[in-house]
Amino acid sequence: MPLTGFGTRSAVDGKSAVPALPSFFIIGPPRTGTSWLHTVLSECTGLSHPTKETRFFDKHYDRGLDWYGSHYRTAAEGRAIGEVAPTYFASREARERIAGLIPKAKIVCTFRNPVDRVVSLYRLKRAYGWIRSTFEEALTSDPEFIESSRYAAHLKAWHTTFGPSQVMATVHEDMQADPQSFLDKVVDFVGAPRVQLRPAQIDRVFTADSMTEPRNYRWTRAALHLANWSKARRLDAIVDAGKRLGALKLFLGGGPSFPEVPPAQRAQLRELFRGEITELEGMLNRDLSAWK
């Protein structure tokens, strides 16, 4: 049954009858500036805490609404509540579950040159120790790389499920060209007050892909398993505390820079994604020939 009280708290006998749930979702796909958006939106909206990406609607739905709602207990009263969840974009389960619970939710997605995005996603997964395969091997062994690049197909699905008026499609180049204008449009759409970006926040838009290989793959992998073990036991606060104390800097990166993807391989990827890009151009009424 849809919940009509999303984004608010209702009380019965001094207790919360319906947990506060998001009224908007930033659904990615991955490596499209969602971390930057999470940082700046945290100043004017209520985002999940302490876990940045709960993975509730695509991975942890069995934990129930009480668990999910607990991530919004610290959200300030009166603020728009949302989740930055880039894995939801390509997930049919997430889309249908959100629609079933929060049918009036606002959905924001950002599209980036798919070749650059896939390369960035590969480097992220390597840096975090999630994969150890080469770039070429990862493209065939990990379906997320290609599936999350089916921009037009998944955007159509979100339009069909929620209606075009509830889905905002943006382009990563606009975020880079004018971060303030980009943010203004997003907060206007989700119903949050505008905030003025500071110079340091603007600079971060351009430094998102500076990660390197892990200094020690086994250490990074062990730290990842420990974090997942903690989250599985709902000890998210411990993981969050470790991040604040600098554990990320100890286990993430520090190794050699990633090699450049050969031009021939980039050309193959451009051809692979050409059909989706052409279809997206029609949906957005925008020239994306620079991606082809």
Side-chain angles (χ1 to χ4, degrees):
M1 177 181 294
L3 294 179
T4 57
F6 61 86
T8 62
R9 294 176 175 82
S10 57
V12 177
D13 295 330
K15 297 182 178 180
S16 176
V18 178
L21 296 176
S23 61
F24 73 89
F25 294 86
I26 309 294
I27 61 168
R31 309 309 294 162
T32 56
T34 54
S35 293
W36 179 79
L37 270 175
H38 185 279
T39 299
V40 296
L41 288 175
S42 65
E43 298 186 5
C44 60
T45 67
L47 301 180
S48 59
H49 180 81
T51 304
K52 176 182 166 186
E53 297 174 21
T54 69
R55 300 293 303 269
F56 175 68
F57 286 100
D58 67 343
K59 188 176 181 181
H60 300 306
Y61 200 66
D62 60 327
R63 296 185 180 182
L65 280 180
D66 286 341
W67 176 83
Y68 185 53
S70 69
H71 291 83
Y72 298 96
R73 287 174 182 161
T74 60
E77 194 71 32
R79 280 192 173 189
I81 295 176
E83 182 177 9
V84 178
T87 61
Y88 291 173
F89 174 73
S91 171
R92 176 183 59 82
E93 291 83 2
R95 186 178 68 250
E96 293 177 352
R97 288 165 176 169
I98 293 171
L101 286 173
I102 316 170
K104 294 184 179 180
K106 296 290 186 70
I107 309 296
V108 179
C109 47
T110 303
F111 298 111
R112 177 184 180 184
N113 182 318
V115 177
D116 293 340
R117 191 193 67 82
V118 164
V119 171
S120 180
L121 181 58
Y122 169 75
R123 290 174 175 175
L124 174 78
K125 291 193 173 191
R126 285 276 299 195
Y128 275 84
W130 291 335
I131 60 175
R132 203 171 185 176
S133 53
T134 66
F135 181 59
E136 189 172 10
E137 291 169 344
L139 290 178
T140 58
S141 63
D142 188 337
E144 183 182 14
F145 289 105
I146 304 303
E147 189 61 32
S148 61
S149 300
R150 298 178 61 232
Y151 293 168
H154 289 298
L155 180 59
K156 279 184 180 179
W158 286 94
H159 277 180
T160 300
T161 303
F162 287 89
S165 64
Q166 287 178 225
V167 181
M168 180 181 186
T170 66
V171 178
H172 190 259
E173 281 90 332
D174 294 343
M175 181 190 295
Q176 292 182 310
D178 191 343
Q180 185 66 61
S181 177
F182 180 91
L183 178 63
D184 289 346
K185 291 176 182 177
V186 170
V187 296
D188 289 349
F189 179 72
V190 304
R194 292 187 177 188
V195 292
Q196 187 65 39
L197 291 172
R198 298 182 294 277
Q201 292 174 316
I202 295 175
D203 290 342
R204 289 194 184 99
V205 178
F206 306 98
T207 58
D209 289 331
S210 58
M211 63 185 62
T212 66
E213 295 269 13
R215 59 170 56 87
N216 186 299
Y217 180 85
R218 290 182 179 178
W219 291 357
T220 299
R221 188 71 178 171
L224 176 68
H225 280 306
L226 178 60
N228 288 337
W229 181 89
S230 299
K231 289 181 179 180
R233 287 153 182 78
R234 305 185 183 185
L235 302 174
D236 304 66
I238 294 177
V239 178
D240 185 59
K243 291 179 180 179
R244 292 198 308 272
L245 293 173
L248 271 181
K249 293 181 180 179
L250 179 61
F251 295 106
L252 180 63
S257 299
F258 288 101
E260 292 297 323
V261 176
Q265 197 166 28
R266 281 186 170 272
Q268 290 176 350
L269 287 173
R270 285 196 299 272
E271 192 59 36
L272 177 64
F273 299 137
R274 184 180 298 276
E276 285 285 334
I277 296 171
T278 299
E279 196 167 359
L280 184 66
E281 286 179 313
M283 296 181 70
L284 302 185
N285 190 27
R286 177 163 180 163
D287 179 13
L288 300 173
S289 56
W291 295 1
K292 297 179 181 179

